[in-house]
Structure formats: C-alpha cells, structure tokens
Amino acid sequence: MEIKNKIVSKTSLSENEFNDYLNQLKDAKSVLVSYKSVLTNLINEAKNFNLDKYTLESSNNFNNKINKLYSQINNLMNIDFEKLNNFKNIINQYKNELIKCVDELIKYINNKINLTDYQYYSPESENIYRSNLKELKNNFINNENLHNKFSYEDDIKKINDYEQNLFKLSDEILKLIQEKKNNPDLIYFTESSKNNYFNKLDEMTNLIKNNWKLITRNNKINYILKINKFYDILITNGKFIKQTLNNSKNINSNIYTKKTYQEYLLKINEIDLEYLENNKYTKADIDKVNKKLNEAYKILKTYL
C-alpha cells in the first residue's frame, strides 16, 4: 500500500524510479505466503503430530486420512481463505477422532466390571475383582502419560490377569468333591460301598468339568446337598460286620449235629459281643471277623 501511494502521488516516473519501484514490488511479493503453503504446513504438522498417547488403530486411521488429505491438496490449483478454513476444520476433526490409550483402557475396565456375569463366581472374589479393577482405573487416570501405545498391550494383559482372582463356584464344588474323596474316615466303610460312592462323585465331577457354568449362586446349595446325599450310599464296616454275623446265625441248623450247632452259636455270639455296630472298624477288622467265622464254621459237623 505504501508503494502504491508513492506511485500515485507522482505524475511521471523516470526510468530509474520505475526500476526502483519494480524491485520494491518484487521484494514485497516475495514475502507473500499463499493459502496453499499455509495449508501444506498444517498438513506437515499433522503428519508429525505426536501420536504416542493414542491407540494404534486410531493413529493409523488418522495418518491414512491425513495422507489422503495431503494428496487432495496437491491436486488443487487454487486455495482461497474459505477452503483453508474448511481444511483446518477437517484436520481438527481428524484429531478429535483420535482415541487416547487411557480412555480406551478405562472403557475396557468398565466393560469388565459391568459386563462380567458374576453369578458363576463367589461374592468374595467378585468384591476383590471389582476393587482391583477400580484401583487400576484410578492409576491409569492419575498417570495418563505413563500409559501409551507402547504400554497398551501390557496394560490390557494386566486388566485380564485380574480375572484370575475370580473364583468359580464350579471350582468350589470340585474342591468339595475332592475333599469328600480324601476324607480319612472312609477307611471305616466297606470297599464296595466306597466304590459306589466314588462313582457318584466322579459322575458329578465330570458333569461340572464339562460345563463349569452349571453352578451358579442360585443353585450351588442344591449341588452341595446332592453331593452330601451321596454319603447315604456308604455302608459302615460295623454295619457290615453285624450283617455278616446275623447271616452266620441264620444258617440251616437241621444239617448239623445239635451239639456242634450249639457250640457254633456260642462262638458266633462271643464274636458278636466283641463288635458294636456304631463303632469304627477298618477292613483289617473285617478280615479278623472273617477269620474267626472260618474257625467257628470248623466246629460244625453234619450227620453224614
């Protein structure tokens, strides 16, 4: 504008003055920056934008969009002020679409807390799980700069690892079954009844292992009662001994001499007095009874 005013104020120009003003105009033109140059600089800034704190997927989307925008601008011959502002808005929109790693981690934690089906886990472990995840979420929020695309996978793993704190109710039942099988008092029950008992426990074990979601908070007690009911299958060694002795008393006395049969019964009754049904007896005790019964049988003599 200053050069223009100087020229307008003169009625004529000498050759030297003309050349001098021409050079001044060239110098002035050289400092002009085109809208396209401004936009190109903005694109280059966007291409060098630090994406460390954003997720890999959103960063890749951002870079792809910026590269397409760069190609689009290069194909434009003229860019005016309005187009410049439009492109500025587009670049800002792309930046706004970037997702911070911390925001994605917090969203992931919230989904874990709210979408986990807790009916299959113990209430105690649920409380621990929720508490751990909330503590981890606060750590992410308060230390945003420490959680970026370089730590993202490790952070996700850390969140998932807390699932190990959830104790399945099915595991609780399986543990109960194992405790039943390892009960030291089982030595006081007959081998055949123990085999039947173990078979029932094994059937239940396989059923639960094949479908761990079978056990919920609502039905857990029913399975416990059902497992406890299996105990009724067991026959104590004491009861078995008593049944054996009773059977020994009920033999056909007609085929034996009266004297030997009476001696035999006395012997059986002596053995019977040694053993009480409610006492705890092992297989070794059963073997002893069988040995004594075999000795008693030797007393018996037939008429022939």
Side-chain angles (χ1 to χ4, degrees):
M1 184 65 79
E2 183 182 346
I3 298 171
K4 178 183 176 182
N5 291 336
K6 287 181 179 179
I7 294 173
V8 170
S9 65
K10 294 183 178 292
T11 55
S12 63
L13 294 173
S14 67
E15 184 177 352
N16 287 337
E17 285 177 324
F18 176 80
N19 289 332
D20 182 50
Y21 284 126
L22 186 61
N23 288 331
Q24 288 183 48
L25 287 170
K26 288 180 179 179
D27 290 340
K29 188 177 180 181
S30 67
V31 300
L32 289 175
V33 178
S34 69
Y35 289 128
K36 185 171 184 177
S37 296
V38 172
L39 184 54
T40 300
N41 288 336
L42 288 174
I43 292 291
N44 287 330
E45 287 177 8
K47 292 175 84 172
N48 294 317
F49 187 64
N50 189 342
L51 298 171
D52 288 353
K53 66 180 180 179
Y54 301 100
T55 64
L56 184 62
E57 183 180 357
S58 68
S59 296
N60 289 337
N61 289 336
F62 176 79
N63 285 330
N64 289 335
K65 288 178 179 179
I66 292 298
N67 288 332
K68 287 180 182 178
L69 196 63
Y70 184 75
S71 299
Q72 183 181 346
I73 290 168
N74 282 339
N75 293 328
L76 293 176
M77 297 300 294
N78 296 312
I79 296 177
D80 56 20
F81 182 74
E82 184 179 353
K83 286 181 179 179
L84 173 64
N85 279 334
N86 287 338
F87 280 115
K88 277 184 179 180
N89 291 333
I90 291 172
I91 293 171
N92 287 332
Q93 178 187 334
Y94 291 165
K95 286 183 178 180
N96 291 333
E97 290 172 358
L98 283 165
I99 301 171
K100 288 182 180 179
C101 289
V102 165
D103 291 339
E104 194 70 5
L105 288 169
I106 291 170
K107 178 183 176 183
Y108 189 69
I109 287 177
N110 287 335
N111 285 337
K112 285 286 184 181
I113 291 174
N114 298 322
L115 299 181
T116 299
D117 198 343
Y118 294 106
Q119 67 170 319
Y120 304 114
Y121 303 98
S122 72
E124 297 79 11
S125 67
E126 176 192 345
N127 291 336
I128 294 172
Y129 179 66
R130 286 177 178 273
S131 176
N132 286 338
L133 287 183
K134 286 177 181 177
E135 184 178 341
L136 187 62
K137 181 166 73 171
N138 289 333
N139 177 271
F140 288 158
I141 293 171
N142 295 330
N143 300 281
E144 181 176 324
N145 293 331
L146 298 178
H147 302 283
N148 47 47
K149 68 180 182 181
F150 304 109
S151 66
Y152 186 77
E153 291 301 321
D154 287 337
D155 288 331
I156 289 291
K157 183 179 182 303
K158 189 180 293 183
I159 295 169
N160 291 334
D161 284 347
Y162 278 122
E163 287 185 8
Q164 298 173 12
N165 292 331
L166 284 171
F167 187 65
K168 295 177 185 175
L169 294 175
S170 60
D171 287 341
E172 185 177 330
I173 299 298
L174 291 174
K175 181 182 177 183
L176 173 65
I177 291 174
Q178 195 58 46
E179 289 172 355
K180 296 286 186 184
K181 294 179 76 171
N182 294 334
N183 184 356
D185 286 343
L186 289 176
I187 62 172
Y188 305 120
F189 297 91
T190 64
E191 293 300 315
S192 60
S193 70
K194 279 193 291 187
N195 288 335
N196 292 333
Y197 180 64
F198 288 150
N199 286 338
K200 284 292 185 181
L201 292 177
D202 288 341
E203 286 175 9
M204 182 64 74
T205 297
N206 292 332
L207 181 68
I208 294 171
K209 281 185 175 180
N210 290 331
N211 183 12
W212 68 271
K213 289 187 175 181
L214 195 66
I215 312 298
T216 67
R217 292 181 184 179
N218 290 332
N219 68 18
K220 185 186 81 168
I221 187 63
N222 295 332
Y223 279 91
I224 291 174
L225 292 173
K226 191 172 184 178
I227 291 166
N228 289 339
K229 187 69 176 172
F230 292 158
Y231 196 80
D232 294 343
I233 296 171
L234 291 167
I235 299 171
T236 65
N237 289 327
K239 186 174 183 179
F240 177 77
I241 288 171
K242 283 298 183 181
Q243 287 174 345
T244 303
L245 290 168
N246 286 334
N247 292 337
S248 298
K249 292 177 183 178
N250 295 324
I251 63 173
N252 185 1
S253 60
N254 294 327
I255 63 173
Y256 301 107
T257 65
K258 187 174 182 180
K259 180 182 177 184
T260 59
Y261 178 69
Q262 292 298 327
E263 289 176 1
Y264 167 77
L265 282 181
L266 284 173
K267 191 65 177 177
I268 296 298
N269 287 329
E270 286 177 10
I271 299 170
D272 197 12
L273 290 174
E274 292 181 41
Y275 296 93
L276 300 174
E277 184 175 325
N278 294 329
N279 281 5
K280 292 181 177 180
Y281 301 106
T282 65
K283 185 177 182 299
D285 292 308
I286 292 177
D287 293 339
K288 287 178 184 178
V289 170
N290 287 332
K291 185 177 180 181
K292 290 178 180 180
L293 286 174
N294 286 333
E295 292 297 321
Y297 287 137
K298 292 177 182 178
I299 298 172
L300 292 167
K301 301 295 181 182
T302 63
Y303 286 106
L304 298 177

